[in-house]
Amino acid sequence: MTIRVLLADDQTLVRAAFAMLVESAPDMEVVGQAGTGREAVALARGERADLVVMDIRMPELDGIEATRLIAADAELAQVKVLVLTTYDTDEHIVEALRAGASGFLVKDTRPAELLDAIRTVAAGEALLSPGPTARLIERFLRGPSAAPAAGGPECLSEREREVLTLVARGLNNTEVGEALGLSPLTAKTHVSRIMGKLGARDRAQLVIVAYESGMVTPGAR
């Protein structure tokens, strides 16, 4: 299956470089390039991309608002957003995750890492490094949450709460399964059920729910 990628960055040379990189991967194709946030939203709707690589700072409509509009559109429910930022300490990263982004990546990452990140997010995994994520949440995740409110952790079973805690600490399905003595498929099933109960769009929002509810605290292991 080919991953349809939309690139959103206000710098033409940056977009061109990313486009060459993405097109070099046999399992990806670039379906559009946007220079503004508004253009990114319009192209996401028109091209039905699987994933948007979104720069935070863009004219007309910044990457956070563009992400929020994409995430709020029921017709774009399957579109994932991977946010790019200059520094992993950028406070806007948390706002991007609240808005519906599935992960973040620094712009100076190695080419192979960007391609792996696209594959990870397109597959439905959250690209969240536990260290930077915990630090960011500790510093900035203090205002009203934009995470879904269909339910809270109290609606989860004991096993589901265990799974949510591990997901919030950055573990993937295989690692969650190993920690709890479950198969990766069973772990994946638990994660899907948790997202359904909490009304979460993806694993990134599960992380926010876990931190904001106090189930996981920054620095905890």
Side-chain angles (χ1 to χ4, degrees):
M1 177 180 176
T2 300
I3 302 171
R4 295 169 56 82
V5 180
L6 170 62
L7 302 173
D9 195 295
D10 64 336
Q11 299 182 48
T12 303
L13 288 178
V14 172
R15 291 201 311 272
F18 284 160
M20 291 179 61
L21 175 62
V22 172
E23 289 287 359
S24 72
D27 57 340
M28 302 178 195
E29 67 174 321
V30 176
V31 296
Q33 297 186 41
T36 70
R38 293 191 187 282
E39 189 177 3
V41 175
L43 285 174
R45 290 172 176 157
E47 299 298 334
R48 286 298 189 269
D50 296 312
L51 180 141
V52 181
V53 177
M54 183 82 73
D55 186 24
I56 285 184
R57 295 179 175 83
M58 287 191 295
E60 295 185 19
L61 192 70
D62 65 32
I64 295 173
E65 288 303 316
T67 297
R68 184 172 288 114
L69 289 175
I70 291 172
D73 191 331
E75 294 186 359
L76 301 178
Q78 301 306 311
V79 179
K80 307 296 183 183
V81 177
L82 172 62
V83 168
L84 290 182
T85 183
T86 305
Y87 306 105
D88 70 6
T89 55
D90 192 330
E91 63 190 82
H92 294 121
I93 293 173
V94 168
E95 292 304 320
L97 294 176
R98 281 179 173 156
S102 295
F104 64 86
L105 200 65
V106 291
K107 274 191 172 182
D108 63 354
T109 189
R110 291 177 296 179
E113 291 178 341
L114 174 59
L115 296 180
D116 286 342
I118 290 173
R119 295 185 182 102
T120 297
V121 173
E125 298 284 342
L127 189 75
L128 301 168
S129 177
T133 300
R135 182 178 68 250
L136 287 164
I137 290 176
E138 183 175 32
R139 292 177 61 192
F140 303 111
L141 197 52
R142 292 292 180 264
S145 174
E154 64 276 1
C155 73
L156 304 178
S157 68
E158 182 177 351
R159 173 62 83 187
E160 288 169 341
R161 289 172 67 86
E162 291 174 339
V163 171
L164 176 57
T165 298
L166 295 176
V167 168
R169 290 174 179 165
L171 276 64
N172 60 33
N173 292 335
T174 299
E175 293 166 337
V176 169
E178 291 175 350
L180 299 178
L182 306 172
S183 71
L185 180 58
T186 300
K188 181 179 180 180
T189 298
H190 278 303
V191 172
S192 296
R193 288 176 179 169
I194 293 168
M195 286 194 290
K197 287 185 177 182
L198 299 181
R201 176 184 172 91
D202 55 29
R203 296 169 74 104
Q205 291 190 334
L206 291 184
V207 174
I208 292 176
V209 169
Y211 275 91
E212 290 195 321
S213 67
M215 287 184 62
V216 177
T217 57
R221 291 292 180 267

